[in-house]
Amino acid sequence: MSNHRGEHPDWTTTGFSTRAIHAGQDPDATTGAVVPPIHQVSTYKQDGVGGLRGGYEYSRSANPTRTALEEALAASESGGLGPTADGSPAARGFAFASGLAAEDTLLRAVVRPGDHVIVPDDAYGGTYRLIARVFGPWGVEHTPVDLTDVEAVRAAVRPETRVVWVETPTNPLLGVSDIAALAGVAHDAGALLVVDNTFATPYLQQPLALGADVVVHSTTKYIGGHSDVVGGALVVATGARLPGGLVSPAGGTDVAGAVGFHQNASGAVAGPFDAWLTLRGLKTLAVRMDRHQANAAAVADFLAAHPAVTEVIYPGLASHPGHELAARQMRGFGGMVSFRAGSEAKALDVCARTQVFTLAESLGGVESLIEHPGRMTHGSVAGTALEVPDDLVRLSVGIEDVEDLIADLTQALA
């Protein structure tokens, strides 16, 4: 990183929080404002036909506020990798209107009818619905697999497999998968490894450094962090190439180029104000995650000792089957805790009785949330191989005083 004023710094060599605060966010050249402005604009004056200022012509194609977010996300996910041999960034970021918009754009870019996708057997319900009920009728097949079993994933690979889709930890059963091992399986098959890093966040886990080709985020969650914006993101490794000999409509074979074409062609982009809010959230991600996971660990310990709870699922517990892998692969164990109450009726009762924990879908905000996955976020997988236990309760542990969180759960479980 250079110390010379006016020179664009290389943030790839700095720590995570420094990158999250500064990458893509140089002070405004005109005013010196330290926060990127909200460019609430649809179109841009051209200096003659095709004479674009900074490459901007229309905000679906590009917007300076979105560019700042996309550069910051790429730096957050690829820190430590450094630039490629030719000096280009190690990854490219793309911001979308929602996490599912990001997933839809990626799948359109990398699969075609007749292709096959391996998915987690406890994936987020919205991801499964998209793959099974939107891309399924389009001719894309899928196989749910326990991604904690590397050999089971290898056995599920077909000649037409193009993507191995990973969540780690998974939603809502918090399974932990070996990213590096699955990258080997995917690449041996000529497929892409896509990792949904929403639960772990780029602060706690760096899938690109472990061999992933693409990272997916619902930035609505921890990156935004305040339950006030909906968004999604893709971060694509520079060297990732389209599977199966595919050529993108843009004419190349690089995944980033194909995603960029589809982002513009489909248009489900993040608006300027949403991009600005998400960028603001990213700046404080590290300090928030430290508090989220400290509180989650205390809540998990409390639940593990409670007689009304039959099972606690949290990677930070030594009893979790993925505990040792998570300790090696992640900086920490995250802020999500799931537990089983013994019956659906008891689970629903606990969800109804909390006061500090708010009964609501979503996760990752500063406030603690509680939900019943079987009736709420994962209702779309009922009756499938991904159906979740009906007594499961999922907690998004916020950053309130942990004593208040435990007192709330104590009265709710009474």
Side-chain angles (χ1 to χ4, degrees), residues 260-287:
F261 176 90
H262 282 272
Q263 181 192 41
N264 181 53
S266 299
V269 296
F273 185 51
D274 289 350
W276 186 86
L277 284 171
T278 305
L279 194 58
R280 183 182 66 165
L282 180 63
K283 290 174 184 284
T284 61
L285 177 63
V287 292

Side-chain angles (χ1 to χ4, degrees), residues 49 74 112 135 165 206 217-218 223 243 294 325 330-332 369 383 398:
V49 176
R112 296 292 183 270
F135 282 86
W165 192 286
Q206 301 268 301
H217 281 284
S218 170
I223 290 177
L325 173 59
M330 301 170 67
R331 188 197 296 254
L369 303 179

Side-chain angles (χ1 to χ4, degrees), residues 126-322:
T127 299
Y128 183 77
R129 179 179 56 215
L130 175 66
I131 292 173
R133 299 177 64 183
V134 176
F135 282 86
W138 193 49
V140 175
E141 298 185 1
H142 70 278
T143 301
V145 182
D146 177 2
L147 295 189
T148 66
D149 184 343
V150 175
E151 292 310 310
V153 176
R154 194 185 308 276
V157 169
R158 305 177 188 174
E160 61 272 19
T161 299
R162 301 291 178 255
V163 173
V164 177
W165 192 286
V166 178
E167 290 178 18
T168 182
T170 56
N171 180 7
L173 295 174
L174 301 174
V176 177
S177 298
D178 189 328
I179 295 172
L182 292 176
V185 173
H187 296 159
D188 286 347
L192 297 174
L193 186 76
V194 176
V195 178
D196 185 334
N197 205 28
T198 298
F199 271 27
T201 79
Y203 175 61
L204 298 182
Q205 185 168 264
Q206 301 268 301
L208 296 182
L210 296 170
D213 299 292
V214 184
V215 171
V216 177
H217 281 284
S218 170
T219 56
T220 308
K221 313 304 194 296
Y222 286 109
I223 290 177
H226 293 78
S227 301
D228 57 7
V229 62
V230 174
L234 300 173
V235 181
V236 182
T238 298
R241 291 292 175 263
L242 294 169
L246 191 64
V247 176
S248 86
T253 61
D254 60 304
V255 175
V259 168
F261 176 90
H262 282 272
Q263 181 192 41
N264 181 53
S266 299
V269 296
F273 185 51
D274 289 350
W276 186 86
L277 284 171
T278 305
L279 194 58
R280 183 182 66 165
L282 180 63
K283 290 174 184 284
T284 61
L285 177 63
V287 292
R288 286 186 287 105
M289 290 310 299
D290 285 339
R291 180 64 172 264
H292 279 298
Q293 60 185 355
N295 282 359
V299 166
D301 286 340
F302 161 77
L303 292 170
H306 199 287
V309 175
T310 61
E311 181 183 6
V312 181
I313 307 168
Y314 181 62
L317 295 175
S319 58
H320 190 286

Side-chain angles (χ1 to χ4, degrees), residues 330-356:
M330 301 170 67
R331 188 197 296 254
F333 301 108
M336 300 299 297
V337 178
S338 293
F339 68 93
R340 299 184 68 172
S343 71
E344 183 179 41
K346 290 180 180 178
L348 293 172
D349 183 58
V350 171
C351 289
R353 290 171 58 88
T354 57
Q355 298 173 348
V356 182

Side-chain angles (χ1 to χ4, degrees), residues 24-25 28 36-45 52-73 92-96 260 263-264 267-277 279:
Q25 303 167 75
D28 181 66
I38 303 171
H39 289 271
Q40 195 68 45
V41 58
S42 61
T43 194
Y44 306 80
K45 182 182 185 298
L52 308 183
R53 301 184 190 183
Y56 295 103
E57 58 180 333
Y58 187 62
S59 277
R60 185 192 69 248
S61 302
N63 173 281
T65 312
R66 194 173 89 227
T67 297
L69 172 61
E70 291 176 337
E71 291 182 1
L73 289 168
R92 183 175 167 189
F94 302 88
F96 295 87
Q263 181 192 41
N264 181 53
V269 296
F273 185 51
D274 289 350
W276 186 86
L277 284 171
L279 194 58

Side-chain angles (χ1 to χ4, degrees), residues 378-404:
H378 288 67
S380 62
V381 299
T384 75
L386 284 75
E387 184 170 8
V388 299
D390 64 6
D391 67 336
L392 189 73
V393 176
R394 190 190 74 180
L395 303 177
S396 174
V397 182
I399 65 173
E400 301 95 338
D401 293 296
V402 71
E403 296 83 4
D404 295 324

